[in-house]
Amino acid sequence: MSRAPKTHLIRDTNDRAALDLMLSNGPITKTRLGELVGLSKVTAGQLLTRLGDRGLVEVVGAQQGGRGPNAALYGVVPSAGYVAALHIGPDQITASVADITGTELATGELDPHEASDPVEAVRATVAHATRSAGITMEQLRCLSIGTPGMIDPRTGDIRFANDLPDWRAGVLEDLRRSFQRPILIENDVNLAGLAEQSAGASHGVKDSVLAWIDRGLGLAVIVDGRLHRGAGGGAGEIGYLAVPGASTPHGTDSPQHAAFQSLVSVEAMDTLARAFGLSGSGVDCVRAAVEGDADAEPFLEELARRLALGLAGICVVLDPELCVLAGEVGRAGGEVLAARVQKAIASLGPNVPTVVPTAISGDPVLRGALQMGLDTARDEVFAHQG
Amino acid sequence: MSRAPKTHLIRDTNDRAALDLMLSNGPITKTRLGELVGLSKVTAGQLLTRLGDRGLVEVVGAQQGGRGPNAALYGVVPSAGYVAALHIGPDQITASVADITGTELATGELDPHEASDPVEAVRATVAHATRSAGITMEQLRCLSIGTPGMIDPRTGDIRFANDLPDWRAGVLEDLRRSFQRPILIENDVNLAGLAEQSAGASHGVKDSVLAWIDRGLGLAVIVDGRLHRGAGGGAGEIGYLAVPGASTPHGTDSPQHAAFQSLVSVEAMDTLARAFGLSGSGVDCVRAAVEGDADAEPFLEELARRLALGLAGICVVLDPELCVLAGEVGRAGGEVLAARVQKAIASLGPNVPTVVPTAISGDPVLRGALQMGLDTARDEVFAHQG
DNA sequence: CCCCTACTGTAAGGTTCCTTTACAGATACC
DNA sequence: GGTATCTGTAAAGGAACCTTACAGTAGGGG
């Protein structure tokens, strides 16, 4: 504990709590704010005056009904700051711009092959999205970026991203130099986990995991309500997980040290579908089975069994309360697949989480990036000229 | 945030911080305490007067050397409270009594077969230990108990303990009724992890795991400096972990879904030692190999490989900074085994923790129980008549 | 229609808790 | 022996919150 920052510590804490309340619950009256933050009406008024002077809150209306005068409703000023979030994929870059309240103002896309390097690609995408949103790049408080690959939790820089050869260590530094503002990079699966936690299936759950089943395979680990990245940012790289039971009934995969990646993933699903004599891609067959196609039924059962093989190990280590199935396969499988996976996990070990499909519509990675960006943008806005 | 407890919130926080400082760093002067807690000399003096009036601190000496007058040294009064910690094993119950400063006053043992039920066994052991310590049972602020088995993190009660048929759900309630004071029950392996973190190999490490390799097999998971128990208290029950690679070169175990428990444990080691043509128990062979016995060399290598098979999966999920090998096998293996395990993990996946042997002397479970008990006893002492 | 009740919002004064300043006294170093 | 440096207490001050008090406004009952 240092001495200096204590003078305003309580006041800052209360001011910040008030801002967070207004951001999450919307406009609020002076009296109610006081009750929720734990301050008297008078002090709450002083607090709002302070925040108003700083341009962070304003009166946005008046409460109708009730006895006395119509109480003024205070809300956060949307133009207090903006955030850009990006989802970097091998074939597409998507972006979203939102104001400090979380209202999405514009989205944008870019084919990464159009740009020469990561910085160019990000600049072009962000420039387009901010123009659509009617703001300038200077008004952005921070940039939040989701990529595949591993991020070093100490530096925040990329360690390596297999599918994106241009995105390597040093990108963070380049982006910071180019944009001159906070840049956040996070693993895409972790961001999907964050999105699910803030507004999806795992909202309010302390210990959960999100299994991302798509072209790549990944796991977001949330412990005690916080994302767990691991010492080197490698937590959740379950593509490498060695699972037993390679000898599947309709054996199609390599024998001994089968990596989880080779058992489940969009590619492995395609192969498996053919082995079951089904036409169409693996994801199509999942959809067919979910919609009641009897021919695709055994395929779905085998998929659930394979998923459970890997997830059972995870549950034995972490014993999460909830396991969210996400990614293209998780979304396609829905409740049906989730229920089967849960049953299969129950047959493999003592710890059985509730298994559910993703509850995020749209791109969960972009959503998670936006959430992460908003968190730090709010810190920025609040801290500057405090 | 509620209104009521805010009046003394800052004062309580500072008082508590001061107490914790004195408990961890020993006696301290008024001025130094102020600097460390972040208070002025004057306020630190008032704080110490308050704690002195409550009988929690006293002047324990004077600092020699230095310029001015010899500053008084303030320290925590040992008799402010006592704790009893117990380690419940199938064949032995051990206990330890300490004062609030953590000084161990007495230990005790009991053969559990001498007592009819858990409450009787605990009462007898604690009665004996407190007598040896020269205190009464009434002076104990809390009881801290380590057992095998799973503890429900919501209730704190035992869910089941395989090796201890009498220790089942309801024991917590019985003990609370009998002792009329806080009772803490925790899984033995988790307590070993806690001990390692507070005074052992993983001290100061944020993300670590402790692998307990003994008759049973277990894992203590520490994430962000805090023990992770899991939704149902089942985190770390890696005996059930399914590991591939059952086809060992000198194959002695079942083929397909080999549980980690069947690969490594004192019993499996014994079998493996025989398969390698060695005489003596598995643990003896580990010791022999560590001390340079060339015949036991391949046995140790195979043991390291087996351990790495399970630990690699854990590292892929958690990416811990450090992995501590504990239990009889971990202790016997020492640095030699740890280095080999680390090398083997490196060959199996991308996340490689530093692997080290336990650094706790004596019974780590009892030590961890004591630590946990001290934490709540200090809360108790501080909160009561606050 | 009028009055009462219930609420908003501000002003004034009070409490808690920490801080700075000031000073008397003690101890080591030169 | 003088000085610099430290301890410990006293006095005054400031920060941040609180309660009380009151003027003013909206709805409901008689």
Side-chain angles (χ1 to χ4, degrees), chain A residues 98-380:
Chain A
D99 65 36
I100 196 80
T101 69
T103 306
E104 213 166 348
L105 302 174
T107 56
E109 290 185 14
L110 185 86
D111 182 336
H113 305 104
E114 287 177 27
S116 56
D117 68 319
V119 174
E120 269 313 302
V122 170
R123 281 206 86 89
T125 320
V126 170
H128 179 258
T130 48
R131 242 193 326 273
S132 307
I135 64 164
T136 65
M137 278 216 246
E138 280 67 39
Q139 291 178 276
L140 292 176
R141 291 288 178 157
C142 80
L143 255 70
S144 175
I145 301 175
T147 72
M150 241 184 249
I151 281 81
D152 187 326
R154 276 176 296 268
T155 63
D157 199 2
I158 289 183
R159 283 175 59 195
F160 52 86
N162 274 337
D163 297 342
L164 304 172
D166 292 339
W167 287 74
R168 50 176 161 259
V171 163
L172 180 67
E173 185 56 35
D174 294 347
L175 287 167
R176 287 212 173 121
R177 236 199 316 272
S178 172
F179 282 92
Q180 296 290 328
R181 45 188 30 77
I183 309 280
L184 306 168
I185 308 182
E186 184 53 86
N187 172 270
D188 50 4
V189 176
N190 282 349
L191 288 176
L194 229 49
E196 211 71 54
Q197 194 206 14
S198 75
S202 57
H203 184 73
V205 178
K206 282 178 60 183
D207 298 321
S208 68
V209 296
L210 172 135
W212 183 259
I213 314 146
D214 208 294
R215 284 184 53 180
L217 193 63
L219 187 80
V221 177
I222 289 172
V223 172
D224 208 18
R226 298 180 41 172
L227 184 64
H228 172 67
R229 296 177 170 84
E237 290 292 333
I238 54 167
Y240 298 96
L241 187 67
V243 292
S247 72
T248 63
H250 304 77
T252 52
D253 34 28
S254 76
Q256 288 302 341
H257 286 75
F260 198 22
Q261 171 76 49
S262 68
L263 280 182
V264 286
S265 74
V266 166
E267 283 87 349
M269 295 293 94
D270 292 348
T271 312
L272 186 66
R274 279 194 297 278
F276 272 90
L278 300 170
S279 63
S281 73
V283 176
D284 289 338
C285 296
V286 170
R287 288 206 191 86
V290 168
E291 283 160 16
D293 182 341
D295 292 343
E297 178 60 26
F299 163 78
L300 193 74
E301 190 63 31
E302 169 62 13
L303 170 59
R305 197 190 67 86
R306 289 183 175 197
L307 281 169
L309 280 172
L311 291 173
I314 291 157
C315 292
V316 152
V317 174
L318 287 172
D319 189 16
E321 186 179 337
L322 189 76
C323 173
V324 182
L325 302 184
E328 210 179 339
V329 174
R331 186 189 296 275
E335 305 277 359
V336 178
L337 180 62
R340 300 211 178 187
V341 169
Q342 181 169 333
K343 204 171 152 197
I345 292 175
S347 71
L348 290 171
N351 301 337
V352 185
T354 305
V355 182
V356 296
T358 173
I360 298 283
S361 59
D363 181 347
V365 178
L366 194 57
R367 179 71 63 90
L370 202 54
Q371 187 61 46
M372 185 173 70
L374 279 171
D375 284 347
T376 56
R378 287 163 182 174
D379 286 347
E380 283 286 314

Side-chain angles (χ1 to χ4, degrees), chain B residues 134-352:
Chain B
I135 63 165
T136 66
M137 278 216 244
E138 281 66 39
Q139 291 179 275
L140 292 177
R141 292 287 177 159
C142 80
L143 253 71
S144 174
I145 301 175
T147 72
M150 243 184 248
I151 281 82
D152 187 326
R154 277 175 296 269
T155 62
D157 199 3
I158 289 183
R159 283 176 59 197
F160 52 85
N162 274 337
D163 297 343
L164 304 171
D166 291 339
W167 288 73
R168 50 176 161 258
V171 162
L172 180 66
E173 185 56 34
D174 295 346
L175 286 167
R176 287 213 173 117
R177 236 199 316 274
S178 172
F179 281 93
Q180 297 289 326
R181 44 186 33 77
I183 310 280
L184 307 166
I185 309 183
E186 184 53 86
N187 171 272
D188 49 4
V189 177
N190 282 349
L191 289 175
L194 228 51
E196 212 70 55
Q197 193 206 13
S198 74
S202 57
H203 184 74
V205 177
K206 280 176 61 183
D207 300 319
S208 68
V209 295
L210 173 134
W212 184 259
I213 315 145
D214 208 294
R215 282 185 53 182
L217 194 62
L219 187 80
V221 177
I222 288 172
V223 172
D224 209 18
R226 298 180 39 172
L227 184 63
H228 172 68
R229 296 177 170 85
E237 288 294 331
I238 54 169
Y240 297 95
L241 186 68
V243 292
S247 73
T248 61
H250 303 76
T252 52
D253 33 28
S254 76
Q256 288 299 343
H257 286 74
F260 198 23
Q261 170 76 52
S262 68
L263 280 183
V264 286
S265 74
V266 165
E267 282 87 350
M269 295 293 93
D270 291 348
T271 312
L272 186 67
R274 279 194 298 277
F276 273 89
L278 300 169
S279 62
S281 73
V283 176
D284 288 340
C285 296
V286 170
R287 288 207 189 87
V290 168
E291 283 161 14
D293 182 340
D295 292 342
E297 179 60 25
F299 164 80
L300 192 74
E301 190 64 33
E302 169 62 11
L303 170 59
R305 196 190 69 86
R306 290 184 173 196
L307 281 170
L309 281 172
L311 291 173
I314 290 157
C315 292
V316 153
V317 174
L318 287 173
D319 189 15
E321 187 178 335
L322 189 75
C323 173
V324 181
L325 302 184
E328 206 179 342
V329 175
R331 187 190 294 273
E335 306 276 357
V336 176
L337 179 62
R340 299 211 178 185
V341 169
Q342 181 169 334
K343 203 170 156 197
I345 291 175
S347 71
L348 291 172
N351 301 339
V352 185

Side-chain angles (χ1 to χ4, degrees), chain B residues 27-51:
Chain B
I28 191 170
T29 70
K30 199 173 287 189
T31 309
R32 183 86 186 110
L33 180 73
E35 286 169 6
L36 291 177
V37 177
L39 295 172
S40 70
K41 193 173 56 169
V42 177
T43 313
Q46 293 168 345
L47 184 159
L48 285 168
T49 305
R50 268 198 306 279
L51 294 180

